[in-house]
Amino acid sequence: MKSDVVKKGVERAPHRSLLYALGCTKEDIGKPFIGVVNSYTDIVPGHAHLRQIAEAVKEGVRAAGGVPFEFNTIAICDGIAMNHAGMKYSLPSRELIADSVEVMAEAQAFDALVFIPNCDKIIPGMLMAALRLNVPAIFVSGGPMLAGNLDGKKIDLNTVFEGVGAYTAGKITEAELTRIEQQACPGCGSCAGMFTANTMNCLTEVMGMGLPGNGTIPAVDTRRRALAKKAGEQILKLLKDDVRPRSIITADAIFNAFTVDMALGGSSNSVLHLMAIANEADIPFNLKTVNEIGQRTPYLTKLRPSGPYHIEELDKAGGIPAVMNEVKSLLKLKCKTVTGKTIGENIVGVKNLNPEVIRTMKTAHSPTGGLVLLFGNLAPEGAAVKKAAVAEEMMVHKGPARVFDSEEAATKAIMGKKIKPGDVLVIRYEGPKGGPGMREMLTPTSLITGIGLEKDVALITDGRFSGATRGASIGHVSPEAAERGPIAAVKEGDMISIDIPGHKLNVELSDKEISDRLAKLPAFQPRIKTGYLARYIEKVTSASTGAVFKK
C-alpha cells in the first residue's frame, strides 16, 4: 500500500507515534488509509452540509475496513462572488484546488481518495487532482438544492438575478423583488437548475467517477447520505481491484460526457472544464469534435434556465441513468465506472419515469444538442454558447457592436437603459489573462432578460457566462483581447454576424483591417500585478484549451 511509507518499518516509529496521537489503534496501522477530500465551508450554500456527507463517507470507509482521514480544500460561491472583483478568483480557484489536493495526498501518502465537491470550480478541480494523482478515487457530491416556491410557482437563484432586471425596468416593485430573494433558495445544495455545478456533478456520473444518483439526488434527501456511505464502502473495492481514475476517464469517457451534456443542454462552462480535465489526462480533444457530437445528439431535457424543470424533476424522472439510456445508441458503453460495472451495464433496466422531463430521441426538443461552438474571424479558436437557452429569434442575428472593456461598464450601460434592440454587446478584456480569471457574467445577462431584451440583444465576451444564463450569450471567445485576439479590434458600430445553427461568429471587417487595428493597440497591461492572480496571468492559457496552466 502507498501508505506503508508512513507506517511500516522500525524507522517509521515516529510516524506511528503521531498516528496514535490521532486516535489510531495498532490494528488501524495495518489498514488502508483513505483520504476524504471535503470542500465544506460556511459561506457556500452548496457546501454548508458537507460535514454530514463526510461523516457518512467515513462510516462507509470504516465499515469496509479502511481508516478515513478527512481534510479540506477551498470553495467559492459564484453567486456571492458575482459582479465584483471576487469573481476574478473563481476560475483560478480550480487550479488551486487541484494543487492543494495533490499536496495533501502526496504528503500524507493516502492509498485512495473520496472526493466531496458540489459547486462549480470545485468539481473540475478535484477531477483534475484525481487524474494527476491517479490513485483509486470516487466522487460523491453534496447534491442539488430544491427549488424555491413563490405563490405556488417554482423559482431559483436565477429568478432573483432576472428580478433585478425586472425591477430596473419598472416591471416589479422592490417589495416584490424582496419576496423573490427570500424564497428562491430554500436550503443547502447546489443551485437548483442545470447550471454549472449540477452540470458538472451529472457529468462526473457520466464519466464513471460517481455512483448513479451523484448528479441528481437532492441535498436534503436521505438517499444522499446513503449514497455517501456507499461511496465510502466502494472506495475499498476500487483499491482492492486497483481501479484508477486514468482507467476510467478515457477519451471515450470524455466523448460520453459531451454527448450527455448535449442531451441535457448543460452549462457552456462544461466545455471549459471538460477540456481542462482532458488536458490533465493527456487526452487530445478538439473543440470541433464537440460540434460533431452536438450534430448527432438530440436535446432531451429543458431544465432551468432553458425550460421550466429543476434537477429534482430530473431525479424523479430517473436521473442521469435514464438520460443515458435514451441516448445509449450514441454512447461508448464499455467505459469503466466506479461501480465496478461498465456504463452499459449500469443502465440496463433503467426506466424513464417522465417522458416529458426526459424526452426520447424521437420526441426530442431538437435533433441537435444544447451546446454549440462558434468559429469565425471574431473567434478563430472558438466561442461557446448554450443554444438550448437561446430564443429562436436570436439563432441568427446581425447588429452593431456596443463595445465595453469590462463587465462593470456593460452593466452600467444596461441599467442606464442605453442598450437598444438589435445591439450586440461586446464585453472584452475579461478573459483568463485580461480579467484576469475569466469572470462569469450572470448580472448583465440577467438584466437583459429581466428588462425584456432577451429576444433582441446578444452578448459576446472573452469571459464566461454563468450556467444560469439564458439568451444569445456567447462566451469563451478565443483568442482573448489580452492576447490580441480579433475581439480586441472591434469598434463601436462594427457589424457583428451571429449564426448559431451554422456555427459562425464574424465581424464584418477584412482580415487586413483587423490586423491593422490590432497592430495599433498598446501593449496589454495586466490589471493585477501582485498576489496569486498576478502569477495566474503569467501561467494561464486560452479558454480554447480549458484555461489550464502552461505545462
Side-chain angles (χ1 to χ4, degrees), residues 512-545:
K512 185 178 185 306
E513 177 63 19
I514 292 173
S515 179
D516 288 348
R517 289 187 186 183
L518 292 176
K520 293 175 183 176
L521 292 176
F524 168 68
Q525 295 296 319
R527 286 171 170 162
I528 295 177
K529 295 180 171 57
T530 61
Y532 174 59
L533 288 182
R535 299 195 299 276
Y536 182 84
I537 291 168
E538 293 175 2
K539 293 180 178 294
V540 73
T541 60
S542 170
S544 62
T545 59

Side-chain angles (χ1 to χ4, degrees), residues 313-540:
E313 277 96 10
L314 177 62
D315 183 61
K316 290 174 184 175
I320 296 305
V323 176
M324 288 195 288
N325 202 38
E326 291 295 349
V327 295
K328 64 183 176 184
S329 63
L330 304 175
L331 298 176
K332 313 290 186 181
L333 297 176
K334 293 183 180 179
C335 287
K336 289 183 181 180
T337 76
V338 291
T339 66
K341 300 177 181 179
T342 65
I343 284 289
E345 290 168 337
N346 282 346
I347 62 176
V348 169
V350 170
K351 294 182 179 179
N352 180 350
L353 302 177
N354 190 333
E356 183 51 39
V357 173
I358 304 173
R359 296 280 184 95
T360 66
M361 290 180 74
K362 290 182 179 179
T363 62
H365 295 288
S366 165
T368 56
L371 288 171
V372 168
L373 279 300
L374 308 181
F375 297 88
N377 70 350
L378 192 52
E381 294 178 8
V385 62
K386 187 170 183 173
K387 186 189 78 170
V390 180
E392 190 63 37
E393 294 91 330
M394 293 299 293
M395 288 294 180
V396 177
H397 179 77
K398 183 187 290 187
R402 302 295 309 281
V403 183
F404 304 93
D405 286 347
S406 70
E407 177 189 0
E408 288 84 355
T411 299
K412 185 177 179 180
I414 297 167
M415 294 194 74
K417 300 180 181 179
K418 295 180 180 179
I419 305 304
K420 308 300 180 188
D423 286 348
V424 177
L425 275 72
V426 176
I427 307 174
R428 63 191 180 189
Y429 294 101
E430 289 287 3
K433 288 182 184 292
M438 206 179 179
R439 287 191 287 180
E440 284 188 345
M441 298 185 210
L442 185 53
T443 297
T445 58
S446 297
L447 286 169
I448 289 291
T449 299
I451 288 169
L453 292 174
E454 176 192 347
K455 298 179 180 180
D456 301 290
V457 169
L459 293 92
I460 296 172
T461 183
D462 53 8
R464 301 181 296 132
F465 291 113
S466 165
T469 290
R470 57 189 173 121
S473 302
I474 300 165
H476 310 187
V477 170
S478 301
E480 62 174 298
E483 292 278 24
R484 290 183 181 261
I487 192 171
V490 178
K491 293 183 178 179
E492 192 85 4
D494 287 343
M495 293 301 292
I496 292 178
S497 175
I498 301 165
D499 181 356
I500 294 174
H503 305 163
K504 294 177 183 177
L505 178 62
N506 290 290
V507 56
E508 294 187 353
L509 297 173
S510 68
D511 291 346
K512 185 178 185 306
E513 177 63 19
I514 292 173
S515 179
D516 288 348
R517 289 187 186 183
L518 292 176
K520 293 175 183 176
L521 292 176
F524 168 68
Q525 295 296 319
R527 286 171 170 162
I528 295 177
K529 295 180 171 57
T530 61
Y532 174 59
L533 288 182
R535 299 195 299 276
Y536 182 84
I537 291 168
E538 293 175 2
K539 293 180 178 294
V540 73

Side-chain angles (χ1 to χ4, degrees), residues 56 115 119 134 180-181 187 208 233 245 313 356 388 451 472-473 493:
F115 289 87
C119 292
N134 203 34
I180 293 170
E181 72 180 68
E233 294 170 345
E313 277 96 10
E356 183 51 39
I451 288 169
S473 302

Side-chain angles (χ1 to χ4, degrees), residues 8 16 30 35 38 74 83 88 101 115 125 142 147 152 158 203 258 291 313 317 346 356 406 418 423 517:
K8 287 288 182 75
R16 291 192 294 273
N38 194 353
I74 60 173
N83 196 33
K88 294 178 184 291
V101 175
F115 289 87
N158 201 33
L203 298 186
F258 273 118
N291 274 344
E313 277 96 10
N346 282 346
E356 183 51 39
S406 70
K418 295 180 180 179
D423 286 348
R517 289 187 186 183

Side-chain angles (χ1 to χ4, degrees), residues 110-132:
F110 292 119
D111 296 304
L113 298 166
V114 181
F115 289 87
I116 308 174
N118 212 28
C119 292
D120 297 28
K121 261 52 68 192
I122 297 91
I123 308 157
M126 287 186 174
L127 284 164
M128 290 161 69
L131 286 161
R132 188 182 305 172

